[in-house]
Amino acid sequence: MMLKSMNAVFPVVSSTLKALIHSLIIIGIILSFINCSSIKNKQLQKTIHKQLHSGNTDDYFQGIMIYDPQNRDTVYRYNSNKYFTPASNTKIITLYSSLKTLPQHIPALKYVVSNDTLFMQGTGDPSLLHPFFKDSTVLQFAKGYPHVSLHLNNFKEKRFGPGWAWEDYDLYFSPERSSFPIYGNVVSIFKSEDQNKLVISPQLFKEKVIPISYTVNREQYNNTFYFNTERKDTLESPFILDSTLIKNLLEEALQKKVSLTQHMPEMEKQLLYSVPSDSLYKRMMYESDNFLAEQLLILASSTLSDTLNSGKARDYILENYLTEIKQPPRWVDGSGLSRYNLFTPETFVYVLNKMYEEVPRERLFNLFPIGGETGTLKNGFEGAEQPYIYAKTGSLGNNYCLSGYLLTKSGKTLIFSFMNNHFRISNEEVKQHMQYILEMVRDNY
């Protein structure tokens, strides 16, 4: 009886033992892979660190963080919690702000119709007759009303951002901010195909352009422009804004009178929409367009209240979406033109990871310049066989930063921020140094 009972038990013990041994083997294999992977990653970290400090790199400040979002693991970090001047990497957080606040199409106007009059106020939409977008949605809409009245008093912002370089006033990348941008707030001047005359847009400035070579493109305190007739490309120079000029430009475009009003009627405002939002985001990111970046933050503020102020938008984003940032940034503008901005590599990785989690991959990667192919990365960080960098550049004198997404040969997607400040060597030397390290990560992780 005892023997029969034991025989009944042993097969069970045997099968259980086999299952246990099988599980231990699998665990052993997994641990072996993990151990090998860990050793390989430690070797990669040592190699990155050695390369990071090669040559004359100790003469300037570097900060880097590389993060694996799938494993939720930091691949490498150095000075990642230190503050750096980000330059146009600031546009990454402007992009995130826009994605969180703006709809699929850009709000072009807030308006009220009373009797036969269209009362309208701007939202900061930069696309109206912009040299690239050439959008005329507002014009087509306003032409349908006998009378048009424009309200400009909702703009509570300075025309330039804090810390912007004053000597850039006449350069294309530093237009004034405004509630009702038109023509991108720049004058465009080029020679006609037959080379016999100048083409000037908007035409209102036709008598304000002097065809001579001069040290600046525009007088500092008035809208007098200078165009060197020997130049082959288009000159874009910002114009000085005031309410009368905006009114006159709108009248010229509409071919009808426009009045200015101090107050909007006490009625519920309606919204008019213009271009697809992604078209603005992509242009901002690809061309590192400062004007679009500044206006996008103003647009973001238009979704919060009738008062247009980029500071309100920045505060809203930090207080509602980025409360977990370990090193709160000093964030003063949308473009990164200001040297007052201070961000850490960790902050950019955090924001990039938020976008990676919240935005479909195809849409997200379509908004970033591609190494060796598009935008500000067209001539750098190219892949030997296929693109591996989708990122935003940031450059000011003696500073160069790059933050975005890195695709490894093993199929991983990594998030990185690589910031360099206060170097005296050329930008190209810094870029080559960065590219060597990023390629190393691409090939070995």
Side-chain angles (χ1 to χ4, degrees), residues 216-369:
V216 293
N217 298 323
R218 194 204 79 206
E219 288 293 329
Q220 186 171 356
Y221 300 112
N222 67 74
N223 285 322
T224 300
F225 301 88
Y226 303 97
F227 181 80
N228 182 357
T229 55
E230 297 299 317
R231 71 182 294 157
K232 305 297 182 183
D233 60 341
T234 298
L235 169 66
E236 291 183 354
S237 184
F239 49 73
I240 300 172
L241 282 164
D242 59 44
S243 57
T244 301
L245 176 59
I246 295 172
K247 169 184 173 295
N248 292 341
L249 288 170
L250 185 57
E251 285 182 338
E252 180 187 63
L254 281 173
Q255 295 293 293
K256 66 162 58 176
K257 286 290 182 180
V258 173
S259 64
L260 295 177
T261 181
Q262 296 300 309
H263 304 283
M264 289 285 283
E266 294 294 328
M267 299 167 63
E268 184 179 355
K269 299 180 183 69
Q270 304 296 313
L271 274 171
L272 176 73
Y273 297 90
S274 61
V275 299
S277 299
D278 278 12
S279 65
L280 284 190
Y281 306 158
K282 188 171 181 177
R283 177 77 179 177
M284 172 188 71
M285 297 293 282
Y286 272 47
E287 303 302 321
S288 202
D289 192 303
N290 298 319
F291 175 65
L292 296 183
E294 296 300 332
Q295 294 301 137
L296 279 168
L297 274 191
I298 292 169
L299 271 163
S301 74
S302 79
T303 68
L304 306 176
S305 73
D306 282 342
T307 300
L308 301 185
N309 180 275
S310 60
K312 286 190 174 184
R314 295 193 299 272
D315 290 343
Y316 177 79
I317 293 298
L318 291 173
E319 292 168 7
N320 290 275
Y321 296 108
L322 300 177
T323 54
E324 296 179 359
I325 289 178
K326 292 181 180 179
Q327 302 92 31
R330 185 185 186 191
W331 180 23
V332 304
D333 67 12
S335 61
L337 274 173
S338 177
R339 291 181 184 265
Y340 293 166
N341 288 305
L342 290 173
F343 285 77
T344 69
E346 281 187 27
T347 294
F348 281 121
V349 168
Y350 180 85
V351 174
L352 287 161
N353 188 52
K354 293 272 282 185
M355 286 195 285
Y356 189 69
E357 292 176 343
E358 297 169 3
V359 182
R361 180 187 176 98
E362 183 177 356
R363 180 191 179 197
L364 179 62
F365 280 25
N366 187 50
L367 298 177
F368 279 80

